[in-house]
Amino acid sequence: MSSHLLLTSNPHELVPFIEYTIYGNAPSHVPNPSNMTEPRLFGTHIPFHALAKSIKESNSRIIYICRNPLDTFVSSWIFLNKIKPEHLPEFELGEAFEKYCKGIIGFGPTWNQMLGYWKESIARPSKVLFLKYEDLKKDANFHVKRIAEFLGCLFTFEEERDGMIESIIKLCSFEKMKELEANKSRTFARNFKRKHLLRKAEMGDWVSYLSPEMGEKLSQIM
């Protein structure tokens, strides 16, 4: 376990993002994913309707995880202010919130993206697994087994008995990931500092930043 890749590598390196890592340098360099070692795992923020036709029609499976939009907004706002060029002013909370409510954010309105993957998970449950961040936090054991089943990699009786699921949860926990040197030093993709990728992972932390009125406004939009 001490030599596991998750203990020595940043998760974004092990599961590269299509738009940042894989094609981030296009058109000067366009890689061929088919040359990559299988099984190939990728991450993305791209809405379902904007995914390449080859992805939609392939046998690949998609796991989509959504989060409370209020927490998502706060997390994104803090992250953007941490990675912005030093010569630019801080992105003011009120302005950022208004843009978020209007859907003026990277990859389009959050609610449209969630709805797109949710609808596809209903239409093709063997293709798309729709998960909620809050549910994963509340019952990780259940959802690890659910993910394994979706991927066709069910746990055996012996593996469950010997605590493999619990070991996976511990290995992949936020607390474990944040303490690793691989997630504290150096940069990721477009010179994002790795230490900024892991902050709190708390549910409902938005109340520390947004007023009840702001919370109600976004809830009404959703």
Side-chain angles (χ1 to χ4, degrees), residues 13 23 25-26 29 32 35 64 69 81 91 101 109 112 114 118-119 134 139 157 174 180 205 210 222:
E13 294 173 332
Y23 295 106
N25 294 319
H29 175 65
N32 184 357
N35 293 331
Y64 180 80
N81 274 320
F91 200 11
C101 288
N112 285 351
M114 290 193 293
W118 179 75
K119 286 183 175 179
E134 292 75 14
D139 194 347
F157 171 79
F174 176 83
L180 298 175
D205 187 51
L210 306 180
M222 294 299 295

Side-chain angles (χ1 to χ4, degrees), residues 57-183:
E57 296 181 352
S58 71
N59 292 324
S60 62
R61 301 183 187 185
I62 299 171
I63 298 176
Y64 180 80
I65 303 177
C66 69
R67 188 182 185 185
N68 181 338
L70 291 161
D71 282 328
T72 299
F73 163 72
V74 169
S75 180
S76 299
W77 170 67
I78 292 175
F79 178 69
L80 288 174
N81 274 320
K82 286 181 177 179
I83 66 170
K84 71 174 182 61
E86 292 184 0
H87 67 277
L88 294 179
E90 184 169 299
F91 200 11
E92 192 269 326
L93 177 62
E95 179 187 359
F97 182 75
E98 288 304 313
K99 288 183 179 296
Y100 190 84
C101 288
K102 294 176 181 178
I104 306 175
I105 54 176
F107 305 102
T110 299
W111 43 92
N112 285 351
Q113 187 182 96
M114 290 193 293
L115 191 60
Y117 281 98
W118 179 75
K119 286 183 175 179
E120 196 63 26
S121 73
I122 299 299
R124 293 197 291 169
S126 62
K127 176 70 174 180
V128 179
L129 176 62
F130 188 93
L131 301 174
K132 296 179 181 179
Y133 176 82
E134 292 75 14
D135 291 343
L136 288 166
K137 291 272 289 184
K138 292 176 182 177
D139 194 347
N141 190 292
F142 171 80
H143 286 92
V144 166
K145 291 201 292 185
R146 187 182 177 196
I147 291 170
E149 181 179 359
F150 174 73
L151 296 175
C153 303
L154 281 75
F155 292 99
T156 65
F157 171 79
E158 291 75 18
E159 288 172 335
E160 290 197 43
R161 180 198 61 198
D162 295 340
M164 179 174 284
I165 296 175
E166 289 75 15
S167 294
I168 291 173
I169 293 171
K170 183 178 180 180
L171 174 66
C172 300
S173 69
F174 176 83
E175 293 74 21
K176 182 67 175 179
M177 291 290 100
K178 190 168 185 178
E179 73 180 25
L180 298 175
E181 186 60 32
N183 298 324

